[in-house]
């Protein structure tokens, strides 16, 4: 679908699906469709805590090896969960060591959001959902997550500065949940952020991350992904790779 719609590449989220974990299979698909893998999302979600290993550092290491094999330059990673205390304590130093071991890879820590349930709010990440509060060499800016956390995406991009390595392009309404709407269908400054990237010296890729679960047909799904791609191309002020996940 990415090839048919004209995307420049894809981001692969390493998942429970065996193909997403297999460098040989992914390389074959990339060659067959002429669509390279530009970024790898490490298996750091709740449902992927046992993918490859129960050790989060081993999962990150294998994500880096996968990215190197696929010639992708970015590994997306979430902040540690609150119960991953040892991992959280060593997270900053550990990312630095991984960067030394894999100098061609940027480990881009993604901004997350508080979780709201039954009128209560809690933060499942340590030390928090906002990686700029800690400071890392590289970041992924997710605009849907900005909506869910009621954050100013442009201000967050400013805080990320030269560390802004990757963008997850999706929209949201700010209702407190992660919506991943087609850009332009929510309230986030998607167009402004894209237009500002050239002036920020951004050299990474923009990954369209929109939810198509409610699409009633393949045609509807393709329509949403085509609209997202056209939005990105319209507002990017310089030729920056645009990819889909």
């Amino acid at each position: 679908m990415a090839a048919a719609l004209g995307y420049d590449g894809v981001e692969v989220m390493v998942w429970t699906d065996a193909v997403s974990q297999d460098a040989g299979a992914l390389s074959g698909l990339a060659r067959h469709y002429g669509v390279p893998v530009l970024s790898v999302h490490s298996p750091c979600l709740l449902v992927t805590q046992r993918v490859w290993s129960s050790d989060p550092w081993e999962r990150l290491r294998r994500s880096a090896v996968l990215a190197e094999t696929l010639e992708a330059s970015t590994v997306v990673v979430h902040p540690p969960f609150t119960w991953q205390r040892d991992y959280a304590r060593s997270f900053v130093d550990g990312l630095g060591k991984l960067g030394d071991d894999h100098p061609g890879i940027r480990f881009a820590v993604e901004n997350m959001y508080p979780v709201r349930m039954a009128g209560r709010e809690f933060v499942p990440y340590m030390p928090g959902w906002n990686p700029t509060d800690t400071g890392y060499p590289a970041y992924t800016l997710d605009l849907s997550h900005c909506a869910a956390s009621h954050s100013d995406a442009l201000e967050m991009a400013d805080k990320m500065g030269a560390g802004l390595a990757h963008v997850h392009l999706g929209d949201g309404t700010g209702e407190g949940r992660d919506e991943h709407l087609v850009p332009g269908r929510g309230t986030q400054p998607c167009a402004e952020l894209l237009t500002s990237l050239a002036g920020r010296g951004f050299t990474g890729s923009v990954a369209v991350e929109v939810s198509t679960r409610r699409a009633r047909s393949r045609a509807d799904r393709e329509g949403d992904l085509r609209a997202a791609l056209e939005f990105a191309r319209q507002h990017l002020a310089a030729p920056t790779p645009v990819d889909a996940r």
Side-chain angles (χ1 to χ4, degrees):
M1 192 176 289
L5 295 176
Y7 278 84
D8 297 318
V10 295
E11 175 171 328
V12 168
M13 174 176 277
V14 179
W15 195 251
T16 54
D17 176 9
V19 173
S20 72
Q21 306 169 28
D22 189 325
L26 292 169
S27 296
L29 288 168
R31 288 193 302 270
H32 177 76
Y33 289 105
V35 178
V37 176
L38 299 179
S39 49
V40 169
H41 196 304
S42 63
C44 51
L45 304 182
L46 275 175
V47 296
T48 57
Q49 293 298 292
R50 297 290 177 179
V51 170
W52 281 336
S53 170
S54 60
D55 179 359
W57 288 118
E58 176 63 11
R59 294 199 298 272
L60 262 181
R61 186 194 69 79
R62 292 187 65 169
S63 297
V65 172
L66 178 63
E68 288 172 335
T69 303
L70 298 171
E71 299 183 349
S73 60
T74 302
V75 167
V76 178
V77 58
H78 292 179
F81 288 115
T82 52
W83 57 86
Q84 296 175 307
R85 296 186 181 278
D86 290 341
Y87 178 48
R89 277 194 289 266
S90 60
F91 192 59
V92 174
D93 292 340
L95 285 183
K97 183 177 185 306
L98 276 174
D100 292 339
D101 293 341
H102 305 276
I105 302 297
R106 299 189 79 180
F107 294 88
V109 184
E110 186 172 5
N111 62 297
M112 301 305 292
Y113 52 92
V115 175
R116 299 175 179 88
M117 296 177 62
R120 302 181 65 183
E121 179 178 296
F122 67 97
V123 177
Y125 305 101
M126 184 182 292
W129 58 264
N130 185 349
T132 65
D133 288 342
T134 299
Y136 299 99
Y139 302 96
T140 294
L141 175 60
D142 187 306
L143 284 97
S144 178
H145 293 178
C146 285
S149 64
H150 301 158
S151 303
D152 183 319
L154 295 174
E155 181 180 339
M156 185 167 289
D158 290 342
K159 290 181 179 178
M160 291 177 174
L164 177 57
H166 193 57
V167 172
H168 280 171
L169 179 62
D171 215 332
T173 62
E175 293 184 357
R177 65 182 188 277
D178 191 16
E179 296 171 284
H180 289 295
L181 304 177
V182 172
R185 298 182 186 176
T187 60
Q188 295 306 291
C190 297
E192 293 86 344
L193 187 279
L194 292 176
T195 302
S196 75
L197 289 179
R200 296 177 185 277
F202 180 78
T203 58
S205 59
V206 175
V208 167
E209 191 177 61
V210 300
S211 175
T212 61
R213 292 186 182 91
R214 295 186 179 181
R216 293 170 294 181
S217 66
R218 182 183 178 91
D220 286 347
R221 181 171 290 109
E222 288 181 350
D224 283 347
L225 293 174
R226 183 178 293 108
L229 176 60
E230 291 173 352
F231 183 99
R233 292 205 189 284
Q234 177 185 352
H235 294 290
L236 282 169
T240 304
V242 181
D243 60 287
R245 184 170 72 199

